């Protein structure tokens, strides 16, 4: 044994390569970490381990091995021809993303076959040149991502062009005069490609299929954003006509089949400008002393039948879209704003989760039933919040209202709202105790005039009234998922679309741990979900109110995975729920309608549905959710640039919100508008980009620009066409740039001071606006 161990540590380079080759070839499907490889090959000395790492790097260079993350390898079994997605960049650094999620591979323009962003392609890996990056050549375009593009028309004497906002085309989109469809110069237009580049010609040729209107008009610009993402900006007449034929009448048969809650006090709490009330709460005290709380959800599936014309359109859209100044609904207006909307003083059909809850907010029993309700009151969030505050509830403390005086609580139905708030706060407290992650984000809002022009820009935080609704919606979603997914041991759960959220990315979480350590914080890494969440919450509590709070919250959010829909339940990390789905918003989310239908089917004794088909719908809904989010962000960017365009030359206090190799992103403290300071404007030094530590470091003067640093900026440019806001560093009285960057030496001193303070402290002490409708847990 000793001789074998000694021999393994005295291998030369060729022997090490032979040993590693045999090891990987005998286990071609496995991925091994450095530790596993060292253990398997009995490498115990430092030189032997370093030799093995060097040899594996060369093997990866020669494509014999594939690197997985920073510290693991697997045998490369993919071959030289691969399929995946082409990613086109405006700077020419195009890449190919393999289907298996491996490392992106560079594709030069001459080897791109004029593939466009998002196209599915087949590539041939090129022979590797020493000291050069790996390259690939597109050999076939398997599927075009999109065939329509939106942009601004430029009409000349003999030909027209489409100027796109993405600026990702190497060659122009040419439009023959006869294919302009009435479009003129500076019109926004939607163009379909009729001829793709080939060996005989390099240009794209297209035809105008819709003229959106003149560039600069608010409606035109919002529709342009939608068209850019392939989202609908018109509702099909045939679908609206089908919706208009629905009477909304509640029959005696409907009443016989449902629990009657018309005489139970019920209310809705929504944004003040909302019209689609898809959730309501009821409350009453039972004879046994428990509180009966009903979470009542619009019964969309009663009116929209699977496979009908309305359902097909809703499925395609998958979600309502919330731009700054408008909502693009998933369902026709007659359904979402009238028939299904739980409007006050109107009898409505609902699908409800009825909870029996004790005074400590413990759920003693629940049931999921079809109901008929009649809302007594419609509250705006601001009204409900005012009612709470007038009765002594201090927002944000998590404490319930004091006991009423001799004349009771102030305001109509105040006791019901206050009781719901008290129960919600207890449920919320327990949720955080169980490991739910605390991320209270601020959201940018605009006040818009009648022409769509932003006249005020500000940010909002969720208040108690918002959290009241959120908490009961979370509770309902959780118990609905549990009712289907939680089955006796040995039994198989029926198919259901779950809303899942995976654990944080391990490498990003480690980066967060190392980054926060520089400020004196100790973030404990753990293999269990609960412990990881508790460590994050402890960190969020510790940084609250500190100057580094925003930067640490930003990096913590970046370490999180995206939530998605799937039939494979892995639980929800952010909420610390083992079972979670979306049930509470079928007016604006298609997965909720899917869940309603399945609950009805299973309650009637139906068999489980086809899992593969359900999974396809889940993937489609997850994809459409992401596309809708991108469109929403673009509308915010547009309004932000439009608003700040009125403030060119003005100076503001800001903080660094992003660091890239090409410049610094800064967010204005006053209104949260974000712009970029290009690297060319940091002319006092040559800066190196430290990606791991989120900073730029000056080579000569050693200035450091760190994520979260306070700076003083001046608004320089506002480019509406590109939705781009440019800042410069504001000049001080002496005419110098207002540099908040610190030297690396002062950074070390500051970090040491923070760490010292942290140690001394430890030893010395023994839904708002439209956004609340679209919280995406």
């Amino acid at each position: 044994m000793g001789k074998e161990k000694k021999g393994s540590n005295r291998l030369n380079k060729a022997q090490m390569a032979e040993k590693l080759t045999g090891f990987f070839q005998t286990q071609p499907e496995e991925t091994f970490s450095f530790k596993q490889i060292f253990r398997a090959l009995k490498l115990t000395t430092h030189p032997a381990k370093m030799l093995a790492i060097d040899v594996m790097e060369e093997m990866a260079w020669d494509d014999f091995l594939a690197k997985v993350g920073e510290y693991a390898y697997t045998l490369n079994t993919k071959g030289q021809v691969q399929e995946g997605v082409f990613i086109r960049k405006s700077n020419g650094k195009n890449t190919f993303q393999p289907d298996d999620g491996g490392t992106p591979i560079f594709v030069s323009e001459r080897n791109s076959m004029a593939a466009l962003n998002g196209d599915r392609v087949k590539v041939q890996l090129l022979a590797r040149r020493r000291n050069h990056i790996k390259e690939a050549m597109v050999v076939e375009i398997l599927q075009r991502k999109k065939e329509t593009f939106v942009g601004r028309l430029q009409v000349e004497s003999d030909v027209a062009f489409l100027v796109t906002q993405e600026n990702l085309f190497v060659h122009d989109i040419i439009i023959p005069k006869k294919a302009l469809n009435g479009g003129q110069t500076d019109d926004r237009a939607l163009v379909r490609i009729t001829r793709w580049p080939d060996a005989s010609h390099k240009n794209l040729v297209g035809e105008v299929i819709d003229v959106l209107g003149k560039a600069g008009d608010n409606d035109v610009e919002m529709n342009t954003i939608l068209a850019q993402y392939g989202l609908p900006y018109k509702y099909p007449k045939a679908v609206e006509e089908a919706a208009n034929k629905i009477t909304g009448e509640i029959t005696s048969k409907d009443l016989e089949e449902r629990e009657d809650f018309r005489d139970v006090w019920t209310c809705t709490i929504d944004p003040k400008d909302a019209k689609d009330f898809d959730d309501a709460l009821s409350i009453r005290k039972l004879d046994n002393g428990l509180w009966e709380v009903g979470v009542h959800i619009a019964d969309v599936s009663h009116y929209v039948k699977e496979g009908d014309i309305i359902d097909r359109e809703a499925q395609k859209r998958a979600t309502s879209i919330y731009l700054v100044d408008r909502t693009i609904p998933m369902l026709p207006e007659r359904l979402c704003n009238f028939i299904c909307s739980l409007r006050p003083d109107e009898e409505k059909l609902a699908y409800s989760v009825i909870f029996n809850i004790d005074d400590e907010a413990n759920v003693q029993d629940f049931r999921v039933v079809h109901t008929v309700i009649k809302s007594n009151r419609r509250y705006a969030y601001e009204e409900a919040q005012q009612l709470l505050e007038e009765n002594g509830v201090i927002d944000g403390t998590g404490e319930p209202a004091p006991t009423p005086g001799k004349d009771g609580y102030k305001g109509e139905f105040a006791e019901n709202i206050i009781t719901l708030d008290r129960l919600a706060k207890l449920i919320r407290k327990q949720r955080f105790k169980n490991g739910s992650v605390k991320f209270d984000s601020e959201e940018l809002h605009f006040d818009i005039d009648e022409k769509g022009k932003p006249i005020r820009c500000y940010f909002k935080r969720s208040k108690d009234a918002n959290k009241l609704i959120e908490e009961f919606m979370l509770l309902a979603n959780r118990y609905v998922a549990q009712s289907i997914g939680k089955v006796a041991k040995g039994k198989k759960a029926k198919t259901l679309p779950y809303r899942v959220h995976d654990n944080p990315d391990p490498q990003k979480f480690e980066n967060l741990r190392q980054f926060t350590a520089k400020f004196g914080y100790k973030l404990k890494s753990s293999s269990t979900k609960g412990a990881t969440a508790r460590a994050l919450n402890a960190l969020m509590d510790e940084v609250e109110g500190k100057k580094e709070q925003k930067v640490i919250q930003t990096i913590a959010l970046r370490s999180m995975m995206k939530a998605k829909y799937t039939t494979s339940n892995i639980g929800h990390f952010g909420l610390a729920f083992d079972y979670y789905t979306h049930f509470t918003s079928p007016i604006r989310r298609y997965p909720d309608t899917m869940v309603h239908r399945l609950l009805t089917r299973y309650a009637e004794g139906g068999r489980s549905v086809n899992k593969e088909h359900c999974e396809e719908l889940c993937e489609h809904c997850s994809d459409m959710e992401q596309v809708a989010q991108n469109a929403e962000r673009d509308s915010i960017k547009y309004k932000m640039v439009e608003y700040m365009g009125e403030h060119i030359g003005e100076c503001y206090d800001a903080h660094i919100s992003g660091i890239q190799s090409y410049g610094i992103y800064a967010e204005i403290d006053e209104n949260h508008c974000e712009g970029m300071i290009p690297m060319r404007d940091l002319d006092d030094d040559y800066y190196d980009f430290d990606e791991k530590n989120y900073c730029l470091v000056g080579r000569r003067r050693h200035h450091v620009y760190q994520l979260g640093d306070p700076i003083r900026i001046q608004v320089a440019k506002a480019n509406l066409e590109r939705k781009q806001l440019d800042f410069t560093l504001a000049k001080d009285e002496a005419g110098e740039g207002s540099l908040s960057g610190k030297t690396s030496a002062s950074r070390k001193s500051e970090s040491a001071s923070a760490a010292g303070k942290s140690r001394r402290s430890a030893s010395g002490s023994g839904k708002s606006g439209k956004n609340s409708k679209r919280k995406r847990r």
Side-chain angles (χ1 to χ4, degrees):
M1 190 71 158
K3 286 183 180 178
E4 186 180 9
K5 185 176 178 181
K6 186 177 180 182
S8 297
N9 287 290
R10 289 185 174 178
L11 298 174
N12 59 33
K13 190 173 182 180
Q15 291 169 328
M16 182 66 78
E18 184 179 351
K19 206 168 184 68
L20 285 165
T21 300
F23 172 72
F24 281 103
Q25 284 180 334
T26 55
Q27 301 165 93
E29 304 299 322
E30 300 296 321
T31 298
F32 298 97
S33 67
F34 284 170
K35 285 184 179 179
Q36 290 171 314
I37 295 165
F38 298 156
R39 194 181 304 116
L41 300 185
K42 299 182 173 62
L43 306 177
T44 58
T45 66
H46 183 70
K49 292 177 181 178
M50 291 301 100
L51 178 61
I53 290 172
D54 289 343
V55 171
M56 286 189 287
E57 281 185 2
E58 290 189 10
M59 287 177 159
W61 183 270
D62 294 328
D63 291 325
F64 176 76
L65 296 180
K67 197 166 187 178
V68 181
E70 288 292 316
Y71 309 108
Y73 284 96
T74 187
L75 189 70
N76 183 9
T77 58
K78 292 185 291 189
Q80 297 301 299
V81 177
Q82 298 179 29
E83 294 183 5
V85 176
F86 184 83
I87 301 169
R88 179 172 287 281
K89 300 284 183 65
S90 56
N91 60 9
K93 295 180 180 179
N94 309 322
T95 56
F96 164 76
Q97 178 62 63
D99 281 341
D100 64 0
T103 305
I105 302 167
F106 174 71
V107 181
S108 65
E109 189 53 48
R110 67 178 181 277
N111 293 324
S112 71
M113 264 185 77
L116 302 180
N117 191 51
D119 288 352
R120 278 196 56 73
V121 297
K122 182 184 287 185
V123 302
Q124 166 79 50
L125 298 184
L126 300 179
R128 193 78 171 269
R129 293 180 292 166
R130 286 290 166 190
N131 301 321
H132 284 74
I133 60 172
K134 187 187 292 187
E135 290 191 51
M137 177 174 66
V138 177
V139 294
E140 184 181 353
I141 295 173
L142 302 173
Q143 184 180 1
R144 293 287 182 181
K145 170 71 173 177
K146 55 193 287 191
E147 295 185 342
T148 60
F149 297 90
V150 69
R152 181 170 49 83
L153 290 176
Q154 184 177 319
V155 182
E156 299 182 357
S157 57
D158 54 346
V159 73
F161 303 92
L162 185 77
V163 181
T164 59
Q165 293 173 317
E166 298 101 321
N167 196 28
L168 292 178
F169 299 115
V170 179
H171 304 285
D172 295 320
I173 299 178
I174 295 175
I175 303 164
K177 281 283 189 80
K178 62 183 179 182
L180 274 172
N181 196 17
Q184 300 176 353
T185 293
D186 286 338
D187 279 347
R188 298 278 188 214
L190 185 64
V191 169
R192 180 192 294 120
I193 302 301
T194 56
R195 185 177 178 185
W196 298 95
D198 56 30
S200 62
H201 76 109
K202 295 181 178 179
N203 289 97
L204 295 122
V205 179
E207 62 178 0
V208 174
I209 57 175
D210 196 5
V211 178
L212 304 176
K214 285 295 178 187
D217 177 83
N218 181 65
D219 286 342
V220 172
E221 294 298 343
M222 292 300 106
N223 286 340
T224 297
I225 289 170
L226 294 167
Q228 191 176 343
Y229 287 100
L231 295 169
Y233 49 91
K234 299 177 188 173
Y235 220 97
K237 283 186 178 179
V239 181
E240 287 189 332
E241 287 169 1
N244 289 337
K245 291 176 183 176
I246 299 173
T247 66
E249 179 189 359
I250 298 176
T251 66
S252 56
K253 185 173 182 293
D254 292 330
L255 295 176
E256 288 170 10
E257 294 173 345
R258 294 169 181 265
E259 285 196 31
D260 193 341
F261 274 76
R262 287 175 293 180
D263 292 331
V264 181
W265 185 85
T266 305
C267 76
T268 59
I269 306 178
D270 290 277
K272 60 185 176 185
D273 55 354
K275 295 176 183 176
D276 54 338
F277 312 137
D278 52 7
D279 55 76
L281 293 178
S282 68
I283 186 168
R284 63 178 167 184
K285 193 73 174 277
L286 299 177
D287 293 339
N288 59 8
L290 297 178
W291 292 102
E292 181 192 75
V293 176
V295 180
H296 305 285
I297 308 302
D299 195 356
V300 170
S301 61
H302 177 83
Y303 299 102
V304 181
K305 300 304 180 185
E306 189 169 5
D308 72 15
I309 187 172
I310 301 173
D311 181 60
R312 292 197 302 272
E313 182 67 22
Q315 185 184 114
K316 186 168 71 175
R317 293 175 177 235
T319 179
S320 292
I321 304 156
Y322 295 88
L323 304 187
V324 166
D325 66 336
R326 69 194 64 199
T327 298
I328 315 302
M330 182 181 78
L331 296 173
E333 185 180 1
R334 175 160 172 77
L335 281 172
C336 64
N337 290 355
F338 296 97
I339 292 176
C340 293
S341 185
L342 306 181
R343 308 198 306 175
D345 301 318
E346 294 181 12
E347 293 183 357
K348 296 289 181 178
L349 301 184
Y351 211 165
S352 308
V353 187
I354 312 299
F355 295 100
N356 290 346
I357 302 176
D358 65 23
D359 267 329
E360 297 304 313
N362 300 304
V363 175
Q364 301 298 323
D365 192 17
F366 80 100
R367 62 191 187 276
V368 184
V369 290
H370 288 95
T371 60
V372 58
I373 69 167
K374 187 176 181 181
S375 174
N376 298 82
R377 181 75 153 80
R378 178 263 203 262
Y379 290 95
Y381 280 119
E382 293 82 358
E383 289 179 275
Q385 185 63 38
Q386 185 179 351
L387 186 149
L388 291 172
E389 291 176 4
E390 283 177 351
N391 284 282
V393 177
I394 302 172
D395 181 51
T397 63
E399 296 298 325
T403 54
K406 61 178 181 178
D407 297 323
Y409 291 114
K410 298 176 186 175
E412 187 184 22
F413 307 126
E415 187 170 359
N416 292 332
I417 295 292
I418 288 166
T419 302
L420 286 169
D421 178 67
R422 181 179 67 80
L423 295 172
K425 282 172 175 166
L426 290 169
I427 294 168
R428 184 178 179 84
K429 185 177 181 181
Q430 187 60 44
R431 179 162 63 83
F432 286 136
K433 186 178 177 182
N434 292 340
S436 190
V437 181
K438 298 176 186 174
F439 280 124
D440 281 335
S441 59
E442 296 170 334
E443 293 181 334
L444 192 60
H445 286 255
F446 297 90
D447 286 342
I448 306 291
D449 68 14
E450 65 279 359
K451 293 184 178 179
K453 189 178 180 66
I455 54 177
R456 181 175 168 238
C457 178
Y458 58 100
F459 52 91
K460 279 187 176 180
R461 295 183 71 92
S462 286
K463 293 195 169 186
D464 283 348
N466 306 86
K467 293 172 183 176
L468 183 166
I469 292 297
E470 179 187 19
E471 216 54 54
F472 281 110
M473 297 308 117
L474 294 177
L475 192 70
N477 288 332
R478 174 188 171 194
Y479 273 85
V480 164
Q482 208 170 282
S483 71
I484 301 298
K486 193 173 184 179
V487 295
K489 193 172 182 180
K491 288 197 172 184
K492 189 177 179 182
K494 292 179 178 178
T495 298
L496 190 76
Y498 294 95
R499 180 70 168 178
V500 304
H501 185 220
D502 208 347
N503 288 349
D505 180 276
Q507 187 59 52
K508 289 181 179 178
F509 193 81
E510 176 60 21
N511 291 345
L512 172 65
R513 191 190 65 77
Q514 292 178 13
F515 181 75
T516 54
K518 293 174 182 155
F519 292 92
Y521 301 109
K522 291 184 178 179
L523 177 63
K524 295 179 182 178
S525 54
S526 173
S527 58
T528 66
K529 286 185 181 182
T532 301
R534 283 191 290 273
L536 274 171
N537 283 343
L539 176 66
M540 293 303 106
D541 288 340
E542 203 173 350
V543 301
E544 189 168 0
K546 309 282 178 59
K547 65 181 181 64
E548 61 269 16
Q549 177 182 358
K550 189 171 284 289
V551 60
I552 289 176
Q553 282 183 341
T554 300
I555 297 172
L557 279 169
R558 288 177 187 173
S559 72
M560 297 288 114
M561 304 295 275
K562 280 188 172 69
K564 65 177 184 178
Y565 299 106
T566 178
T567 55
S568 301
N569 181 42
I570 58 168
H572 197 294
F573 170 79
L575 294 171
F577 292 164
D578 292 330
Y579 303 91
Y580 188 65
T581 189
H582 273 171
F583 166 84
T584 54
S585 294
I587 286 177
R588 62 187 179 87
R589 292 188 307 223
Y590 194 75
D592 302 56
T593 303
M594 292 168 62
V595 169
H596 281 218
R597 287 175 180 153
L598 292 175
L599 287 170
T600 302
R601 176 191 178 102
Y602 298 153
E604 293 171 351
R607 297 175 64 183
S608 186
V609 294
N610 182 277
K611 189 171 183 177
E612 287 71 25
H613 175 64
C614 193
E615 184 64 27
E616 285 177 13
L617 286 175
C618 285
E619 287 179 12
H620 168 69
C621 292
S622 295
D623 290 343
M624 291 305 295
E625 177 188 36
Q626 186 60 55
V627 172
Q629 283 179 359
N630 292 338
E632 290 165 19
R633 287 193 197 106
D634 269 11
S635 81
I636 291 169
K637 279 183 192 174
Y638 186 88
K639 290 300 170 191
M640 183 176 72
V641 175
E642 186 179 11
Y643 176 77
M644 292 307 298
E646 301 292 321
H647 300 273
I648 301 294
E650 294 181 21
C651 297
Y652 295 89
D653 289 328
H655 64 272
I656 295 175
S657 56
I659 300 276
Q660 295 293 337
S661 58
Y662 48 81
I664 292 171
Y665 285 96
E667 186 178 286
I668 295 173
D669 296 335
E670 178 184 317
N671 57 28
H672 285 213
C673 288
E674 187 180 57
M676 192 185 76
I677 303 169
M679 189 66 77
R680 64 178 177 271
D681 289 345
L682 300 177
D683 55 6
D684 65 310
D685 204 343
Y686 184 89
Y687 286 88
D688 291 317
F689 176 41
D690 184 345
E691 188 172 9
K692 190 172 182 181
N693 291 306
Y694 308 97
C695 64
L696 294 176
V697 182
R699 288 187 181 178
R700 290 181 291 106
R701 298 169 69 178
H702 306 295
H703 273 111
V704 178
Y705 287 100
Q706 181 91 60
L707 198 64
D709 276 354
I711 58 174
R712 182 82 174 159
I713 63 93
Q714 184 175 34
V715 182
K717 293 179 187 173
N719 188 326
L720 271 173
E721 184 82 18
R722 302 184 66 179
K723 304 181 193 72
Q724 187 172 305
L725 196 57
D726 281 358
F727 296 156
T728 58
L729 288 170
K731 303 292 182 183
D732 59 21
E733 290 181 2
E736 296 291 328
S738 181
L739 299 173
S740 297
K742 299 179 178 66
T743 65
S744 53
S746 68
R747 288 257 179 219
K748 288 177 184 175
S749 172
E750 193 175 270
S751 292
S753 173
K757 284 178 185 174
S758 176
R759 285 192 293 271
R760 286 193 294 274
S761 173
S763 60
S765 59
K767 35 274 146 14
S768 81
K770 286 179 183 172
N771 293 326
S772 67
K773 296 289 283 183
R774 61 176 193 253
K775 273 195 181 277
R776 295 183 173 96
R777 296 280 195 166

